[in-house]
Amino acid sequence: MLNKKKLKANIILLLSAYIPLYLTVIVQNFFSLWDKLSSKYNISFTDLFNFRKIKNNFNELFQFPETWIMTIFIVLILLLFSLIFLMLLNTYSTNSSLSYEAKVVNVEDKNHEYLTSYIAVYILPFITLNLTTYSGLTQFLILFLFIGYIYLKYEMIYINPILNIFFRLNAYDVHYKVKDNDKTYNTVLLSKKDRETLTKMAIKVKGSNGILIDLDKEK
């Protein structure tokens, strides 16, 4: 069972894994809102850049559920990026007593494999759901909670393109040894280094339960 601190971190990573989905939902609802506004008020595309007109009619936008959905997801995305940044900052500045040196003896790049799994599990089941209806919202929540439970149970934090795209963390399947121990361990390693660099030197890591993070912030 995860301790509270680790569970909180994994929940943040779970929610952040859906950021591409949030962006898709924002785009879908933007065009849905645009269709409603253009038919009701006969507005043109250039009106989107008329900030004075938008400001004067700002309250009317929130009469539509699409506006609320877009606002919620935009705020959620900004919040998640801030939380991940603070979490990684805290990890990299960890107490030395919580870290140890590991020597990677074999490494396999899993980014492409995880990306395929990510699209199949995190994007496709949600892409056709309409969150402006009770039916679509209920289906979204059921799928989200079910996948979220599996994600947390098996600590699948490495299936997260946000870690790679925005924080330059690569996912590797590695075999490694620790000092004064001949036993070889197998785990998932999150690191900014490339495959060749990982096998050339001992690295300082932190983590357990099948997932390690390389504390060296440089490639």
Side-chain angles (χ1 to χ4, degrees), residues 6-51:
K6 192 169 185 178
L7 178 61
K8 185 187 298 184
N10 282 3
I11 290 175
I12 293 172
L13 290 171
L14 164 65
L15 294 175
S16 69
Y18 284 99
I19 286 179
L21 174 64
Y22 305 154
L23 293 173
T24 302
V25 171
I26 290 171
V27 171
Q28 288 176 335
N29 282 272
F30 171 81
F31 283 104
S32 175
L33 177 63
W34 169 254
D35 288 339
K36 290 181 179 180
L37 291 175
S38 59
S39 62
K40 184 174 183 179
Y41 299 107
N42 193 29
I43 61 176
S44 64
F45 184 75
T46 56
D47 289 326
L48 293 175
F49 305 96
N50 188 335
F51 296 105

Side-chain angles (χ1 to χ4, degrees), residues 82-204:
S82 300
L83 290 174
I84 293 176
F85 176 80
L86 292 174
M87 187 170 64
L88 290 176
L89 183 65
N90 179 64
T91 299
Y92 287 128
S93 60
T94 185
N95 188 307
S96 58
S97 64
L98 300 177
S99 63
Y100 57 94
E101 282 194 350
K103 180 67 174 71
V104 176
V105 295
N106 184 50
V107 56
E108 182 178 351
D109 191 342
K110 288 291 185 180
N111 286 290
H112 298 300
E113 179 182 325
Y114 294 151
L115 181 59
T116 303
S117 300
Y118 170 84
I119 294 173
V121 174
Y122 291 85
I123 301 298
L124 295 182
F126 298 93
I127 202 70
T128 60
L129 298 181
N130 182 1
L131 300 187
T132 61
T133 66
Y134 289 115
S135 174
L137 183 59
T138 302
Q139 292 176 66
F140 181 92
L141 291 175
I142 291 173
L143 279 172
F144 188 91
L145 292 174
F146 177 76
I147 295 174
Y149 172 78
I150 300 298
Y151 183 100
L152 294 175
K153 180 178 176 65
Y154 295 102
E155 298 192 74
M156 299 162 62
I157 66 171
Y158 47 84
I159 307 181
N160 190 330
I162 302 304
L163 293 176
N164 179 264
I165 296 171
F166 293 97
F167 298 97
R168 298 181 299 149
L169 285 170
N170 301 303
Y172 299 105
D173 185 358
V174 300
H175 289 81
Y176 70 98
K177 294 182 178 181
V178 296
K179 190 176 181 180
D180 301 325
N181 191 339
D182 292 331
K183 185 177 180 180
T184 300
Y185 301 90
N186 177 235
T187 189
V188 171
L189 173 70
L190 301 179
S191 175
K192 294 185 177 182
K193 298 184 178 71
D194 56 36
R195 292 177 58 185
E196 290 73 19
T197 304
L198 282 174
T199 57
K200 291 179 179 178
M201 63 183 75
I203 57 175
K204 183 174 288 189

